[in-house]
Amino acid sequence: MNRLPQAASTTPRRTSRLPVVGIIIVLAAVVAFLGYRVAESSSSSAAAAASSALRDDQRGGLGEADGVVPDGVTVFDDTTPAVAELDPDLLTALRRAATAAADDGITIYVNSGWRSPEYQKQLFREAVSEYGSEDEAARWVASPATSPHVSGDAVDAGRSDATRWLSEHGAGYGLCQIYENEPWHYELRTAAIADHCPPMYADATQDPRMQR
C-alpha cells in the first residue's frame, strides 16, 4: 500500500528536470555557435590582412604615392595622387564629363590614372609574368619611358556603365578611347569636340608613341 504513493511522488520530480536539462543543452549550443562565428570572423579578418600585406610586398611596397588607386575613387578626388597628378586639362575634361554623366545616374570612377615610373615598371613586370613575354605584355602595358600614365595624360575609367557612357559621349568633352583592346583607357583629344575621335589602334604596340 505504501509503495504506490512513493512511486507516484518520484515521477514528477524526474519530469521537472527534463526542461532544465534541455535549456542547458540549448544554451551550450548557442554559446558554441557564437564562439565559432567570432573565431571565423577573426580568421577572415586575419586572412584579408595577410592578403593585403602580400600584395603590398609583391608590389615592392608601392602605394598611393606611386599612383596605386584605392577602391571607390572618382575623378573629383583631389587627395589621391593618381587623380591629382593628372594633366590639368585632362582632369578638367573628365570632371565636366563626370558632371554630365551624373545626370544620367552614372559615376565615373578611376581605376588608374597618373603612375610613378616605379609603379609602371612593376606593372610591366607583372604583365610579362601574366602573358608570358615582353612582346605580349606590351599590348597591355607600356614602359615607363612611353606610358601616358606616367606623364599624367591617361586615365583608366571604371566601371562598365561609365565606360559605355564615355564611349557614347566622351568625344563631346575631348575624351577618346585610344586602344580597341582597352575600352577603359581614355586620353584627351580636344579636336574631337568639334569633329570626332581619331581611329583607335588595335593595341598599344600599334601606337607610334610606344616605339620610342
Side-chain angles (χ1 to χ4, degrees):
M1 295 290 293
N2 291 333
R3 290 180 183 177
L4 290 176
Q6 288 176 351
S9 65
T10 56
T11 301
R13 282 199 297 271
R14 268 195 209 124
T15 304
S16 64
R17 288 175 185 168
L18 291 177
V20 175
V21 173
I23 291 172
I24 292 173
I25 292 172
V26 170
L27 288 174
V30 170
V31 170
F33 175 75
L34 291 176
Y36 169 78
R37 292 301 299 273
V38 170
E40 183 183 42
S41 177
S42 299
S43 176
S44 298
S45 298
S51 176
S52 177
L54 179 60
R55 287 196 302 271
D56 289 343
D57 182 64
Q58 290 173 335
R59 287 265 165 97
L62 296 173
E64 288 187 37
D66 295 285
V68 177
V69 182
D71 291 337
V73 168
T74 74
V75 299
F76 296 104
D77 190 331
D78 287 321
T79 64
T80 302
V83 176
E85 296 297 328
L86 287 172
D87 173 77
D89 291 336
L90 171 60
L91 187 55
T92 297
L94 282 168
R95 289 177 172 176
R96 289 180 58 239
T99 299
D103 292 337
D104 293 331
I106 304 296
T107 299
I108 299 179
Y109 292 94
V110 175
N111 288 340
S112 193
W114 168 84
R115 303 169 186 158
S116 70
E118 292 76 19
Y119 185 25
Q120 189 68 29
K121 186 182 299 183
Q122 180 62 35
L123 289 175
F124 186 75
R125 285 198 296 264
E126 292 175 1
V128 172
S129 177
E130 179 177 356
Y131 295 108
S133 70
E134 290 190 358
D135 288 344
E136 188 64 20
R139 296 182 60 240
W140 303 95
V141 182
S143 71
T146 60
S147 173
H149 284 283
V150 173
S151 62
D153 293 313
V155 63
D156 291 349
R159 302 166 184 161
S160 58
D161 58 347
T163 57
R164 283 195 299 270
W165 191 94
L166 285 170
S167 177
E168 295 177 13
H169 306 286
Y173 303 89
L175 299 171
C176 295
Q177 179 184 337
I178 304 301
Y179 307 119
E180 291 179 359
N181 67 330
E182 296 186 30
W184 52 82
H185 180 105
Y186 278 80
E187 298 180 26
L188 183 64
R189 299 290 186 270
T190 54
I193 297 174
D195 194 359
H196 52 75
C197 289
M200 288 183 277
Y201 300 109
D203 57 58
T205 62
Q206 307 301 311
D207 187 344
R209 298 175 301 170
M210 303 298 114
Q211 309 308 317
R212 299 200 305 269

